[in-house]
């Protein structure tokens, strides 16, 4: 059996001896910044020494954490720790599917969640599309040779006239092709029992399979409500990549990108897939983490 994830042991002095370093690392996974995580871990270490104890329960940790981060955040941190412990104990590999339109920050959210949960397999549907381009010519499969918001350019005139909405029709045609590769990748990961995080615009609710035998699947859509904030993401990405992606291309295509986002949100609501609003990156990451941990808790309760 393949390794599902690099688990982060919770060092409460029971199964794993207490360790300040491991405790701080576990607290960072829940969303605490490293400085406050270390302060809480140090308080816990001092508390054990003063009491002559060798183990620390979560209720006591909550009391100590409240001194550093306040009662509300301490309660949230401990709740996440409790659910993280449940997730670590599940036998099923985790598949986290993070969808969303271009420029919504889904790749950043997906990568950060993978890092926190110790998942080493992270890929994108755009990578799968790029691979398919190498095998299928533009004549044979034209839609995969365009960006998602430009896939309408692959339509024939008859197809465009039939649709009435070329941007969505072209996007869906491309999505159907890319999802063939997505399903193959996830089926292989399920067979090997490897936890994976997959992100991409093609993870359309109701179109991507949520059922991979032997795997624990969590799906969400990341979106940005404010158009100006959405536009600013392309400026940030342009700076971060030193102009690797043509900025003007994305800004000019923002109406089509926003149209695809609206479509994804509508599909998500229809198929009961959570929509995570990314008006704050830290909050969005926390919301996705809570979603994963909550679903793990629910799954464990049914076993």
């Amino acid at each position: 059996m393949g390794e599902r994830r690099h688990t982060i042991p919770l060092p409460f002095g029971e199964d794993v001896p207490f360790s300040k370093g491991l405790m701080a690392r576990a607290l960072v996974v829940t969303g605490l910044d490293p400085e406050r995580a270390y302060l809480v871990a140090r308080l816990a270490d001092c508390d054990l020494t003063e009491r002559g104890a060798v183990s620390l329960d979560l209720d006591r940790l909550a009391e100590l954490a409240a001194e550093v981060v306040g009662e509300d955040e301490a309660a949230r941190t401990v709740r996440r720790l409790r659910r993280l412990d449940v997730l670590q104990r599940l036998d099923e590999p985790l598949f986290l599917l993070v969808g969303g339109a271009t420029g919504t920050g889904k790749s950043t959210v997906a990568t950060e969640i993978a890092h926190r949960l110790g998942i080493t397999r992270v890929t994108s549907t755009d990578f799968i599309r790029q691979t398919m381009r190498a095998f299928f010519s533009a004549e044979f499969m034209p839609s995969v040779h365009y960006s998602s918001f430009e896939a309408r350019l692959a339509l024939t005139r008859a197809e465009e006239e039939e649709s009435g909405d070329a941007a969505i029709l072209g996007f869906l045609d491309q999505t159907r092709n890319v999802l063939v590769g997505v399903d193959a990748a996830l089926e292989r990961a399920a067979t090997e029992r490897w936890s994976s995080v997959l992100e991409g615009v093609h993870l359309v609710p109701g179109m991507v399979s949520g059922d991979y035998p032997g795997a624990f699947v969590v799906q969400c859509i990341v979106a940005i409500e404010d158009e100006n904030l959405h536009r600013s993401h392309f400026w940030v990405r342009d700076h971060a990549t030193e102009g690797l992606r043509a900025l003007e291309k994305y800004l000019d295509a923002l109406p089509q990108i926003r149209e695809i986002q609206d479509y994804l949100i509508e599909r998500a609501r229809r198929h009961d897939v959570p929509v995570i609003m990314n008006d704050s990156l830290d909050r969005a990451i926390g919301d996705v983490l809570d979603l994963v941990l909550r679903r793990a808790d629910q799954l464990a309760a049914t076993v």
Side-chain angles (χ1 to χ4, degrees):
M1 181 176 71
E3 184 181 357
R4 294 181 294 112
R5 62 180 74 88
H6 295 295
T7 58
I8 300 171
L10 302 184
F12 295 114
E14 298 169 350
D15 297 336
V16 180
F18 183 83
S19 160
K20 237 182 339 187
L22 287 178
M23 176 58 72
R25 184 182 175 197
L27 291 168
V28 168
V29 170
T30 70
L32 283 187
D33 61 85
E35 182 178 356
R36 292 190 300 167
Y38 179 75
L39 288 175
V40 173
R42 190 171 64 180
L43 275 178
D45 187 41
C46 292
D47 181 72
L48 287 174
T49 300
E50 290 173 2
R51 293 189 293 115
V54 295
S55 63
L56 181 74
D57 61 51
L58 282 170
D59 290 336
R60 180 56 181 161
L61 181 63
E63 295 175 9
L64 297 170
E67 298 179 26
V68 178
V69 301
E71 291 187 3
D72 289 345
E73 191 164 1
R76 180 169 60 250
T77 297
V78 169
R79 183 172 62 248
R80 287 177 178 174
L81 274 178
R82 195 184 304 276
R83 288 174 169 171
L84 180 62
D85 186 47
V86 171
L87 175 63
Q88 309 276 30
R89 296 175 188 274
L90 288 177
D91 289 331
E92 295 87 349
L94 166 65
F95 290 173
L96 174 59
L97 312 180
V98 182
T102 304
T104 53
K106 59 188 178 296
S107 61
T108 302
V109 170
T111 302
E112 179 62 26
I113 294 295
H115 173 70
R116 292 190 185 186
L117 296 181
I119 297 174
T120 57
R121 289 194 173 185
V122 185
T123 192
S124 69
T125 62
D126 262 349
F127 179 82
I128 293 173
R129 179 177 66 86
Q130 186 70 21
T131 302
M132 295 177 75
R133 289 177 62 175
F135 288 93
F136 300 105
S137 68
E139 290 75 20
F140 181 77
M141 192 179 289
S143 66
V144 300
H145 289 263
Y146 292 90
S147 297
S148 59
F149 50 84
E150 295 179 321
R152 68 189 186 282
L153 300 176
L155 299 174
T156 64
R157 183 175 297 278
E159 290 172 325
E160 189 170 342
E161 290 175 352
E162 179 184 349
S163 166
D165 193 336
I168 298 301
L169 180 63
F171 166 63
L172 292 177
D173 182 55
Q174 182 185 97
T175 294
R176 280 187 287 269
N177 289 322
V178 172
L179 287 181
V180 174
V182 168
D183 283 338
L186 292 178
E187 285 171 5
R188 179 63 180 268
T191 299
E192 296 182 349
R193 300 184 61 77
W194 272 95
S195 289
S196 301
V197 175
L198 182 63
E199 59 87 8
V201 66
H202 308 98
L203 299 175
V204 178
M207 292 183 69
V208 62
S209 175
D211 183 22
Y212 294 94
F216 160 45
V217 182
V218 178
Q219 183 180 6
C220 66
I221 294 293
V222 174
I224 297 178
E225 187 173 19
D226 184 83
E227 183 172 338
N228 289 327
L229 179 59
H230 197 167
R231 181 181 290 105
S232 73
H233 277 218
F234 295 110
W235 286 96
V236 172
R237 186 167 67 178
D238 181 69
H239 177 73
T241 61
E242 297 182 343
L244 184 61
R245 300 182 182 183
L247 173 63
E248 293 303 324
K249 169 185 174 180
Y250 293 97
L251 295 181
D252 291 344
L254 190 56
Q256 289 77 34
I257 292 171
R258 299 281 294 175
E259 184 179 359
I260 290 172
Q261 173 173 277
D262 290 342
Y263 178 78
L264 291 173
I265 292 174
E266 187 275 326
R267 293 274 307 206
R269 289 171 177 162
R270 197 192 320 164
H271 292 277
D272 198 27
V273 171
V275 176
I276 307 296
M277 288 299 176
N278 188 13
D279 55 347
S280 160
L281 181 59
D282 287 342
R283 188 180 301 116
I285 291 170
D287 287 346
V288 175
L289 181 64
D290 277 336
L291 175 64
V292 172
L293 298 180
R294 187 168 62 249
R295 294 286 174 83
D297 209 15
Q298 292 168 351
L299 178 62
T302 64
V303 176

